[in-house]
Amino acid sequence: MGLFAWEGLVRYFEVPSYLLPAPSLIIATLITDWPVLSASLWVTLSITLKALLIAVIGSVTLAIIFAQSRIVERAFYPFAVAMQVTPIVAIAPLLLIYLTPGIAVLVCAFLVAFFPLLANTTLGLSSADHNLVDLFQMYRASKMQQFLLLRLPSALPYFLAGLRISGGLALIGAIVAEIAAGSAGQGSGLAYRIVESGFRLNIPRMFAALLLISVAGITIHLLLTALSHWLLRDWHDSERGRET
């Protein structure tokens, strides 16, 4: 209904396309400019997925180290917090000075996605049921057995929750960094197309690029939600409860 009202109001009041394009014009522009926009979509998605993969590897590795040593956690966790609370908008222009545009965008997306994964995984590794820990110790299970059979499964729901958050944040970080790169006349992702379209007053293409970003974010969230459901459906209460 909202789209039909938007279309009708734009046509009734004859709003110029450089102010507010109609949904039909946005779809037509998306089809017409698909070769350019699809290439930019692939650039943005590839950077997002690479940043998310690096964030997963780095955060899980660091969370395991934190779980094994409280001293290391207390020493390095504040740096991770400081990195998280620093606005990525302030970091992106600085990174563009020292790094190539592609690497700078990748680093920005990684920085945004890293902390939720680290915080959730660290919490999960330390949230194993104490009664089960005592039971493992009573049966003389080794630390490796405790870690593989108890702490890792206990941390999985926390990790997946962080992954769903970081998936969207990685895309946001990539978009913010691409906007900074686009303002400097560099880049080729969807955010760069938005900046370029704004300079050229090609507002329908700008809305088409925004539509692709929204669809990409929704798709990432749905895929990660499906992955979480698939991994947890047979044993964790959060997913078993949804089925019933």
Side-chain angles (χ1 to χ4, degrees), residues 121-195:
T121 307
T122 302
L123 177 62
L125 289 173
S126 61
S127 298
D129 192 322
H130 293 291
N131 294 321
L132 292 177
V133 173
D134 294 339
L135 181 64
F136 270 67
Q137 292 175 348
M138 184 177 68
Y139 282 97
R140 301 180 183 274
S142 65
K143 288 187 176 182
M144 182 60 67
Q145 289 175 321
Q146 291 184 37
F147 180 76
L148 294 176
L149 301 177
L150 178 59
R151 296 192 182 276
L152 275 184
S154 298
L156 184 60
Y158 294 85
F159 165 77
L160 292 172
L163 185 62
R164 290 197 298 272
I165 297 171
S166 294
L169 290 179
L171 179 61
I172 293 172
I175 294 299
V176 170
E178 284 180 358
I179 289 176
S183 299
Q186 301 171 318
S188 57
L190 282 176
Y192 174 76
R193 298 302 169 197
I194 291 176
V195 174

Side-chain angles (χ1 to χ4, degrees), residues 57-82:
I57 296 172
S59 62
V60 171
T61 301
L62 195 57
I64 291 173
I65 295 174
F66 285 172
Q68 301 301 316
S69 174
R70 292 293 182 183
I71 296 176
V72 175
E73 180 182 0
R74 291 173 182 173
F76 289 98
Y77 197 77
F79 292 100
V81 175

Side-chain angles (χ1 to χ4, degrees), residues 207-220:
F207 272 83
L210 285 171
L211 175 61
L212 287 179
I213 291 173
S214 299
V215 171
I218 293 171
T219 302
I220 290 173

Side-chain angles (χ1 to χ4, degrees), residues 14-22 25 198 200-204 206-207:
E14 298 182 349
V15 180
S17 61
Y18 60 82
L19 290 180
L20 182 64
L25 179 58
R200 298 182 178 182
L201 291 181
N202 190 349
I203 308 305
M206 179 185 290
F207 272 83

Side-chain angles (χ1 to χ4, degrees), residues 41 96 176-177:
L41 174 64
L96 287 167
V176 170

